[in-house]
Short mmCIF file of all heavy atoms in Angstrom, two decimals:
data_model
loop_
_atom_site.label_atom_id
_atom_site.label_comp_id
_atom_site.label_asym_id
_atom_site.label_seq_id
_atom_site.Cartn_x
_atom_site.Cartn_y
_atom_site.Cartn_z
N GLU A 832 5.56 -9.06 11.00
CA GLU A 832 5.96 -10.15 11.90
C GLU A 832 7.04 -9.72 12.89
O GLU A 832 7.32 -10.45 13.84
CB GLU A 832 6.47 -11.34 11.09
CG GLU A 832 5.37 -12.05 10.29
CD GLU A 832 5.92 -13.16 9.42
OE1 GLU A 832 7.17 -13.22 9.24
OE2 GLU A 832 5.11 -13.95 8.89
N ASP A 833 7.63 -8.54 12.68
CA ASP A 833 8.71 -8.08 13.55
C ASP A 833 8.13 -7.32 14.74
O ASP A 833 7.28 -6.44 14.57
CB ASP A 833 9.66 -7.16 12.77
CG ASP A 833 10.88 -6.77 13.58
OD1 ASP A 833 11.85 -7.52 13.59
OD2 ASP A 833 10.84 -5.71 14.23
N GLU A 834 8.58 -7.64 15.95
CA GLU A 834 7.99 -7.03 17.14
C GLU A 834 8.28 -5.54 17.25
O GLU A 834 7.51 -4.80 17.84
CB GLU A 834 8.45 -7.75 18.41
CG GLU A 834 9.92 -7.58 18.75
CD GLU A 834 10.27 -8.21 20.09
OE1 GLU A 834 9.55 -9.12 20.54
OE2 GLU A 834 11.27 -7.78 20.68
N ARG A 835 9.39 -5.07 16.68
CA ARG A 835 9.70 -3.63 16.75
C ARG A 835 9.02 -2.86 15.63
O ARG A 835 8.69 -1.68 15.80
CB ARG A 835 11.21 -3.41 16.67
CG ARG A 835 12.00 -3.99 17.83
CD ARG A 835 13.43 -3.52 17.78
NE ARG A 835 14.02 -3.77 16.48
CZ ARG A 835 15.01 -3.06 15.94
NH1 ARG A 835 15.51 -2.03 16.58
NH2 ARG A 835 15.50 -3.37 14.75
N LEU A 836 8.83 -3.48 14.48
CA LEU A 836 8.35 -2.78 13.29
C LEU A 836 6.91 -3.12 12.92
O LEU A 836 6.37 -2.60 11.96
CB LEU A 836 9.26 -3.10 12.09
CG LEU A 836 10.69 -2.59 12.22
CD1 LEU A 836 11.60 -3.34 11.25
CD2 LEU A 836 10.75 -1.10 11.96
N GLY A 837 6.29 -4.01 13.69
CA GLY A 837 4.96 -4.50 13.33
C GLY A 837 3.90 -3.42 13.18
O GLY A 837 2.97 -3.57 12.39
N GLY A 838 4.02 -2.33 13.93
CA GLY A 838 3.02 -1.27 13.86
C GLY A 838 3.36 -0.15 12.90
O GLY A 838 2.63 0.84 12.82
N THR A 839 4.47 -0.28 12.15
CA THR A 839 4.89 0.78 11.22
C THR A 839 3.90 0.91 10.06
O THR A 839 3.62 -0.08 9.38
CB THR A 839 6.29 0.48 10.66
OG1 THR A 839 7.20 0.30 11.74
CG2 THR A 839 6.76 1.63 9.77
N PRO A 840 3.37 2.11 9.81
CA PRO A 840 2.47 2.27 8.67
C PRO A 840 3.19 2.00 7.35
O PRO A 840 4.33 2.42 7.16
CB PRO A 840 2.05 3.75 8.76
CG PRO A 840 2.28 4.13 10.18
CD PRO A 840 3.49 3.34 10.61
N VAL A 841 2.52 1.30 6.44
CA VAL A 841 3.08 0.96 5.14
C VAL A 841 2.11 1.41 4.05
O VAL A 841 0.91 1.12 4.12
CB VAL A 841 3.34 -0.56 5.01
CG1 VAL A 841 3.88 -0.89 3.62
CG2 VAL A 841 4.32 -1.03 6.08
N ILE A 842 2.63 2.13 3.07
CA ILE A 842 1.84 2.57 1.92
C ILE A 842 2.42 1.93 0.67
O ILE A 842 3.62 2.06 0.41
CB ILE A 842 1.83 4.11 1.78
CG1 ILE A 842 1.21 4.75 3.03
CG2 ILE A 842 1.09 4.54 0.52
CD1 ILE A 842 1.26 6.27 3.01
N PHE A 843 1.60 1.24 -0.11
CA PHE A 843 2.06 0.62 -1.35
C PHE A 843 1.95 1.61 -2.51
O PHE A 843 0.94 2.30 -2.66
CB PHE A 843 1.21 -0.60 -1.67
CG PHE A 843 1.70 -1.89 -1.06
CD1 PHE A 843 0.89 -3.02 -1.10
CD2 PHE A 843 2.94 -1.98 -0.45
CE1 PHE A 843 1.33 -4.22 -0.54
CE2 PHE A 843 3.39 -3.16 0.10
CZ PHE A 843 2.57 -4.29 0.06
N LEU A 844 3.00 1.66 -3.32
CA LEU A 844 2.99 2.37 -4.59
C LEU A 844 2.99 1.31 -5.69
O LEU A 844 3.87 0.45 -5.70
CB LEU A 844 4.23 3.25 -4.73
CG LEU A 844 4.55 4.20 -3.58
CD1 LEU A 844 5.89 4.89 -3.82
CD2 LEU A 844 3.44 5.23 -3.43
N THR A 845 2.03 1.37 -6.58
CA THR A 845 1.96 0.30 -7.58
C THR A 845 1.37 0.79 -8.88
O THR A 845 0.53 1.70 -8.91
CB THR A 845 1.13 -0.88 -7.07
OG1 THR A 845 1.08 -1.88 -8.07
CG2 THR A 845 -0.28 -0.46 -6.70
N ALA A 846 1.81 0.17 -9.97
CA ALA A 846 1.26 0.48 -11.28
C ALA A 846 -0.03 -0.29 -11.52
O ALA A 846 -0.77 0.00 -12.45
CB ALA A 846 2.28 0.13 -12.36
N LYS A 847 -0.30 -1.25 -10.67
CA LYS A 847 -1.50 -2.06 -10.86
C LYS A 847 -2.73 -1.30 -10.38
O LYS A 847 -2.72 -0.70 -9.33
CB LYS A 847 -1.37 -3.38 -10.11
CG LYS A 847 -0.32 -4.31 -10.69
CD LYS A 847 -0.35 -5.65 -9.95
CE LYS A 847 0.63 -6.62 -10.58
NZ LYS A 847 0.61 -7.94 -9.92
N GLY A 848 -3.82 -1.40 -11.16
CA GLY A 848 -5.04 -0.73 -10.76
C GLY A 848 -6.18 -1.68 -10.48
O GLY A 848 -7.31 -1.27 -10.26
N MET A 849 -5.89 -2.99 -10.52
CA MET A 849 -6.94 -3.97 -10.31
C MET A 849 -7.46 -3.95 -8.88
O MET A 849 -6.69 -3.86 -7.92
CB MET A 849 -6.39 -5.37 -10.61
CG MET A 849 -5.94 -5.57 -12.05
SD MET A 849 -7.31 -5.65 -13.20
CE MET A 849 -8.02 -7.22 -12.72
N THR A 850 -8.78 -4.00 -8.74
CA THR A 850 -9.39 -4.02 -7.42
C THR A 850 -8.89 -5.20 -6.60
O THR A 850 -8.65 -5.08 -5.39
CB THR A 850 -10.92 -4.07 -7.54
OG1 THR A 850 -11.37 -2.92 -8.27
CG2 THR A 850 -11.57 -4.08 -6.17
N SER A 851 -8.70 -6.36 -7.26
CA SER A 851 -8.25 -7.55 -6.54
C SER A 851 -6.88 -7.33 -5.92
O SER A 851 -6.59 -7.83 -4.83
CB SER A 851 -8.21 -8.76 -7.48
OG SER A 851 -7.34 -8.51 -8.58
N ASP A 852 -6.00 -6.58 -6.61
CA ASP A 852 -4.67 -6.31 -6.08
C ASP A 852 -4.75 -5.39 -4.86
O ASP A 852 -4.01 -5.56 -3.89
CB ASP A 852 -3.78 -5.67 -7.15
CG ASP A 852 -3.51 -6.63 -8.30
OD1 ASP A 852 -3.22 -7.81 -8.02
OD2 ASP A 852 -3.61 -6.21 -9.45
N ARG A 853 -5.63 -4.42 -4.94
CA ARG A 853 -5.80 -3.51 -3.81
C ARG A 853 -6.34 -4.27 -2.59
O ARG A 853 -5.89 -4.07 -1.47
CB ARG A 853 -6.74 -2.37 -4.20
CG ARG A 853 -6.20 -1.46 -5.29
CD ARG A 853 -7.28 -0.50 -5.80
NE ARG A 853 -7.69 0.43 -4.77
CZ ARG A 853 -7.08 1.60 -4.54
NH1 ARG A 853 -6.04 1.96 -5.27
NH2 ARG A 853 -7.52 2.42 -3.61
N ILE A 854 -7.31 -5.14 -2.83
CA ILE A 854 -7.88 -5.93 -1.74
C ILE A 854 -6.81 -6.82 -1.12
O ILE A 854 -6.71 -6.94 0.11
CB ILE A 854 -9.06 -6.78 -2.24
CG1 ILE A 854 -10.23 -5.86 -2.62
CG2 ILE A 854 -9.50 -7.79 -1.17
CD1 ILE A 854 -11.39 -6.58 -3.28
N ALA A 855 -5.97 -7.43 -1.97
CA ALA A 855 -4.89 -8.29 -1.46
C ALA A 855 -3.95 -7.48 -0.57
O ALA A 855 -3.49 -7.96 0.46
CB ALA A 855 -4.13 -8.92 -2.62
N GLY A 856 -3.66 -6.23 -0.97
CA GLY A 856 -2.79 -5.38 -0.17
C GLY A 856 -3.39 -5.07 1.19
O GLY A 856 -2.71 -5.17 2.21
N PHE A 857 -4.65 -4.71 1.20
CA PHE A 857 -5.29 -4.39 2.48
C PHE A 857 -5.40 -5.63 3.37
O PHE A 857 -5.23 -5.54 4.59
CB PHE A 857 -6.67 -3.77 2.25
CG PHE A 857 -6.61 -2.36 1.73
CD1 PHE A 857 -7.24 -2.01 0.54
CD2 PHE A 857 -5.93 -1.37 2.43
CE1 PHE A 857 -7.19 -0.70 0.06
CE2 PHE A 857 -5.87 -0.07 1.95
CZ PHE A 857 -6.49 0.26 0.77
N ARG A 858 -5.68 -6.77 2.77
CA ARG A 858 -5.76 -7.99 3.57
C ARG A 858 -4.41 -8.35 4.17
O ARG A 858 -4.33 -8.97 5.23
CB ARG A 858 -6.28 -9.15 2.70
CG ARG A 858 -7.78 -9.10 2.46
CD ARG A 858 -8.24 -10.24 1.57
NE ARG A 858 -9.69 -10.27 1.44
CZ ARG A 858 -10.36 -11.04 0.60
NH1 ARG A 858 -9.68 -11.86 -0.21
NH2 ARG A 858 -11.67 -11.02 0.55
N ALA A 859 -3.34 -7.98 3.48
CA ALA A 859 -2.00 -8.27 3.98
C ALA A 859 -1.56 -7.30 5.06
O ALA A 859 -0.53 -7.53 5.70
CB ALA A 859 -1.00 -8.26 2.82
N GLY A 860 -2.34 -6.23 5.26
CA GLY A 860 -2.03 -5.31 6.35
C GLY A 860 -1.47 -3.98 5.92
O GLY A 860 -0.94 -3.23 6.75
N VAL A 861 -1.56 -3.65 4.63
CA VAL A 861 -1.08 -2.35 4.17
C VAL A 861 -2.02 -1.25 4.66
O VAL A 861 -3.23 -1.47 4.80
CB VAL A 861 -0.92 -2.33 2.64
CG1 VAL A 861 -2.27 -2.20 1.95
CG2 VAL A 861 0.02 -1.22 2.19
N ASP A 862 -1.49 -0.06 4.93
CA ASP A 862 -2.30 1.03 5.47
C ASP A 862 -2.94 1.88 4.39
O ASP A 862 -4.00 2.47 4.59
CB ASP A 862 -1.45 1.92 6.38
CG ASP A 862 -1.02 1.18 7.63
OD1 ASP A 862 0.04 0.52 7.61
OD2 ASP A 862 -1.75 1.25 8.63
N ASP A 863 -2.28 2.00 3.25
CA ASP A 863 -2.83 2.79 2.15
C ASP A 863 -2.23 2.25 0.86
O ASP A 863 -1.26 1.50 0.87
CB ASP A 863 -2.50 4.28 2.34
CG ASP A 863 -3.51 5.18 1.64
OD1 ASP A 863 -4.33 4.68 0.83
OD2 ASP A 863 -3.49 6.40 1.90
N TYR A 864 -2.82 2.69 -0.26
CA TYR A 864 -2.50 2.09 -1.55
C TYR A 864 -2.60 3.20 -2.58
O TYR A 864 -3.68 3.75 -2.79
CB TYR A 864 -3.53 1.00 -1.83
CG TYR A 864 -3.09 -0.16 -2.67
CD1 TYR A 864 -2.97 -1.43 -2.12
CD2 TYR A 864 -2.84 0.00 -4.03
CE1 TYR A 864 -2.61 -2.52 -2.89
CE2 TYR A 864 -2.47 -1.08 -4.81
CZ TYR A 864 -2.35 -2.34 -4.24
OH TYR A 864 -2.00 -3.41 -5.00
N ILE A 865 -1.50 3.57 -3.24
CA ILE A 865 -1.52 4.68 -4.20
C ILE A 865 -1.01 4.18 -5.55
O ILE A 865 0.12 3.71 -5.66
CB ILE A 865 -0.65 5.85 -3.72
CG1 ILE A 865 -1.14 6.34 -2.36
CG2 ILE A 865 -0.65 6.99 -4.73
CD1 ILE A 865 -0.30 7.47 -1.78
N PRO A 866 -1.87 4.25 -6.61
CA PRO A 866 -1.44 3.77 -7.93
C PRO A 866 -0.53 4.78 -8.63
O PRO A 866 -0.65 6.00 -8.45
CB PRO A 866 -2.77 3.61 -8.69
CG PRO A 866 -3.68 4.60 -8.04
CD PRO A 866 -3.28 4.66 -6.59
N LYS A 867 0.43 4.26 -9.39
CA LYS A 867 1.29 5.10 -10.23
C LYS A 867 0.59 5.31 -11.57
O LYS A 867 -0.10 4.41 -12.05
CB LYS A 867 2.63 4.42 -10.47
CG LYS A 867 3.47 4.15 -9.24
CD LYS A 867 4.72 3.39 -9.64
CE LYS A 867 5.58 3.02 -8.45
NZ LYS A 867 6.77 2.23 -8.84
N PRO A 868 0.79 6.46 -12.20
CA PRO A 868 1.53 7.63 -11.70
C PRO A 868 0.72 8.36 -10.65
O PRO A 868 -0.51 8.40 -10.74
CB PRO A 868 1.74 8.47 -12.96
CG PRO A 868 0.57 8.13 -13.83
CD PRO A 868 0.26 6.69 -13.56
N PHE A 869 1.39 8.94 -9.68
CA PHE A 869 0.68 9.62 -8.60
C PHE A 869 1.06 11.09 -8.58
O PHE A 869 2.11 11.51 -9.07
CB PHE A 869 1.01 8.98 -7.24
CG PHE A 869 2.49 8.77 -7.03
CD1 PHE A 869 3.32 9.81 -6.67
CD2 PHE A 869 3.03 7.50 -7.20
CE1 PHE A 869 4.68 9.60 -6.49
CE2 PHE A 869 4.38 7.30 -7.02
CZ PHE A 869 5.21 8.34 -6.66
N ASP A 870 0.17 11.88 -8.01
CA ASP A 870 0.44 13.30 -7.84
C ASP A 870 1.30 13.46 -6.58
O ASP A 870 0.92 12.96 -5.51
CB ASP A 870 -0.88 14.07 -7.68
CG ASP A 870 -0.64 15.56 -7.48
OD1 ASP A 870 -0.43 15.97 -6.32
OD2 ASP A 870 -0.65 16.30 -8.47
N PRO A 871 2.44 14.14 -6.66
CA PRO A 871 3.33 14.23 -5.49
C PRO A 871 2.68 14.92 -4.30
O PRO A 871 2.93 14.56 -3.15
CB PRO A 871 4.53 15.02 -6.01
CG PRO A 871 4.05 15.71 -7.24
CD PRO A 871 3.02 14.82 -7.84
N ASP A 872 1.83 15.91 -4.56
CA ASP A 872 1.14 16.59 -3.46
C ASP A 872 0.20 15.63 -2.73
O ASP A 872 0.08 15.65 -1.50
CB ASP A 872 0.36 17.80 -3.96
CG ASP A 872 1.27 18.94 -4.36
OD1 ASP A 872 2.36 19.07 -3.76
OD2 ASP A 872 0.89 19.71 -5.26
N GLU A 873 -0.48 14.77 -3.52
CA GLU A 873 -1.37 13.80 -2.89
C GLU A 873 -0.57 12.79 -2.08
O GLU A 873 -0.97 12.41 -0.97
CB GLU A 873 -2.20 13.06 -3.94
CG GLU A 873 -3.13 12.01 -3.32
CD GLU A 873 -3.90 11.20 -4.35
OE1 GLU A 873 -3.69 11.42 -5.56
OE2 GLU A 873 -4.71 10.35 -3.94
#
């Protein structure tokens, strides 16, 4: 909603693996979604 930050890419880190949670994130405008635990190189 911020005019200066609206285009900033956002990546969610989450312990949740449910497909519904991932869909909710993408619908909210998140750019990528990485479940924990994650590989640091990835």
Side-chain angles (χ1 to χ4, degrees):
E832 291 176 347
D833 186 86
E834 68 174 23
R835 296 190 308 153
L836 295 161
T839 305
V841 178
I842 298 176
F843 272 170
L844 308 175
T845 179
K847 292 185 176 181
M849 297 288 291
T850 300
S851 59
D852 294 316
R853 295 170 66 88
I854 292 173
F857 287 124
R858 283 178 174 171
V861 76
D862 293 88
D863 206 348
Y864 209 113
I865 302 178
K867 298 176 183 177
F869 48 78
D870 180 274
D872 288 330
E873 179 183 2

